[in-house]
Amino acid sequence: MYPVSQCSLELIERAASSLLSGAIVAFPTETVYGLGVDADNQTAVARMYAIKGRPTDHPVIVHISSINEVDYWAKSVPQFAIELMRKFWPGAMTLILPRSDKAKNFITGGQEFVGLRIPSNTIALNLISSFIKKGGHGIAAPSANRFGSISPTSASDVSSELGELLDKEDLIIDGGESEIGVESTIINCSRALPRILRLGAVTEAMIREVTPIDLDNDLNEIRVSGSLTRHYSPKAKVILDREAKPSEGLIALAEFPTPAGVIRLAEPKTVTEYARSLYSALREGDTKGLQTIVAITPKGEGLAAAIRDRISRASA
Ligand code: TXA
Ligand code: MG
């Protein structure tokens, strides 16, 4: 296990300086933990990709701390994108925008777009703004897991998954459990109307209150690894919506009883709790060495739809 560092103002300052000198800093956000590096530093970005095992043609989100910083990374920002930023930043929303010449191929996966997000978690925001005050422009951070595996929602998840691959200059900042537990909503803003590429806590209904959206199903418009059919997967086989049998794991709302001999991995009382506990429950299934995890998916729209999306990819 790689040591995790308890958060303090001194630690945040040190982490911001480490990022500027090319180190990797894993940090908490309200969605999941990110594996952060200086988004202008090609060598650091390459090391982060290698640690994640991520193909270099998959782009990474750049995290900033204020709307003023968008112009460094993006050009031609449409009015609806500005409105979305005003409404949902800081928060669980990533916007894909036409890139500026500062957003290099090594963070955009060679595509003409850049992904930007201002997270709301205070540790994340402090880290990013301290990094920017010291001369940086943005922190490139994918979820801090190996490519295709489950996103981490605690510092110890990061440590157990990637700790062996980190160097002594790198840091894992402990900010407790991620509040939301599933990754940000991704919205493509490179066309006439916004289009949702990945579901998250900023829901379709919330977005529609700000702007009409594009429902056109043009599937190969942009590569988003979170939209690969198999993603967010544990080692155990994940099966949806059938009765769990003895020695299988079970994830379901608390209203579903646990059949005899079944190992209950999570019994959230609400959809919000379901999202928060989902990834740690899948991880626990692996820790316990279970062969099969049954998930009873929550009904309804909004966050429930994001949960169904992640579980169905985990089961693919
Ligand atoms: O909640 C989140 O979004 C977390 C936290 C750490 O911010 N990050 C996250 O990053 O989930 P990652 O890399 O695991 O997933 C981001 C997704 C990927 O599927 C990537 O392909 C897509 O965003 N993405 C990033 N930049 C993009 C771009 N320029 N064009 C298209 N897709 C992009
Ligand atoms: Mg990810």
Side-chain angles (χ1 to χ4, degrees):
M1 289 283 268
Y2 192 86
V4 305
S5 304
Q6 290 308 314
C7 193
S8 65
L9 281 178
E10 292 76 11
L11 179 76
I12 289 178
E13 289 299 311
R14 179 151 71 85
S17 302
S18 302
L19 282 167
L20 269 182
S21 55
I24 293 179
V25 174
F27 62 97
T29 85
E30 70 280 18
T31 57
V32 299
Y33 274 66
L35 191 66
V37 288
D38 178 355
D40 288 309
N41 182 333
Q42 182 164 14
T43 314
V45 171
R47 209 180 127 230
M48 174 272 282
Y49 269 71
I51 286 175
K52 243 191 103 72
R54 173 179 248 180
T56 51
D57 63 351
H58 282 277
V60 65
I61 299 170
V62 177
H63 296 72
I64 54 177
S65 59
S66 147
I67 293 181
N68 304 330
E69 293 145 17
V70 168
D71 285 349
Y72 180 88
W73 296 105
K75 59 165 193 204
S76 63
V77 181
Q79 187 58 33
F80 69 76
I82 295 171
E83 277 152 30
L84 289 169
M85 291 171 194
R86 289 201 180 121
K87 181 84 178 176
F88 300 118
W89 276 355
M93 177 185 77
T94 297
L95 299 185
I96 308 295
L97 293 158
R99 67 168 167 178
S100 72
D101 56 3
K102 303 291 194 323
K104 303 291 189 211
N105 284 336
F106 59 82
I107 54 161
T108 71
Q111 300 183 100
E112 289 309 311
F113 313 103
V114 64
L116 297 177
R117 175 160 106 87
I118 303 183
S120 66
N121 175 284
T122 9
I123 296 173
L125 265 182
N126 275 309
L127 175 67
I128 302 159
S129 55
S130 160
F131 171 76
I132 287 173
K133 274 197 204 104
K134 290 177 195 290
H137 297 101
I139 301 178
S143 53
N145 53 279
R146 297 279 297 168
F147 186 67
S149 130
I150 308 162
S151 298
T153 52
S154 71
S156 61
D157 290 349
V158 179
S159 172
S160 55
E161 177 138 354
L162 299 178
E164 281 175 7
L165 305 168
L166 296 178
D167 285 346
K168 64 175 188 322
E169 311 76 58
D170 302 329
L171 279 170
I172 301 175
I173 301 179
D174 190 351
E177 303 270 308
S178 300
E179 200 184 321
I180 294 175
V182 294
E183 304 79 357
S184 61
T185 305
I186 300 183
I187 306 173
N188 179 6
C189 300
S190 71
R191 310 187 345 161
L193 283 177
R195 205 165 97 69
I196 301 174
L197 300 181
R198 182 173 74 183
L199 300 172
V202 172
T203 64
E204 184 179 322
M206 289 158 72
I207 297 166
R208 276 184 196 284
E209 283 183 23
V210 177
T211 163
I213 62 173
D214 180 356
L215 291 171
D216 184 19
N217 256 337
D218 179 2
L219 286 173
N220 47 28
E221 59 174 13
I222 269 187
R223 276 191 310 275
V224 177
S225 50
S227 69
L228 296 176
T229 316
R230 185 178 166 83
H231 210 75
Y232 314 111
S233 296
K235 292 188 192 74
K237 191 172 160 54
V238 178
I239 295 176
L240 307 191
D241 299 316
R242 75 134 159 84
E243 195 162 332
K245 301 190 202 106
S247 83
E248 292 180 340
L250 176 64
I251 300 172
L253 283 165
E255 66 204 45
F256 290 87
T258 311
V262 166
I263 298 123
R264 191 65 179 244
L265 297 170
E267 41 189 338
K269 289 185 204 63
T270 61
V271 168
T272 308
E273 261 182 43
Y274 199 129
R276 198 180 294 145
S277 57
L278 174 62
Y279 288 160
S280 59
L282 291 172
R283 277 176 191 276
E284 196 190 331
D286 279 349
T287 308
K288 290 189 151 77
L290 303 185
Q291 304 271 303
T292 305
I293 300 171
V294 173
I296 310 294
T297 54
K299 309 249 171 319
E301 291 313 306
L303 193 55
I307 294 170
R308 290 197 301 276
D309 168 71
R310 301 310 193 278
I311 302 180
S312 68
R313 290 181 209 286
S315 77

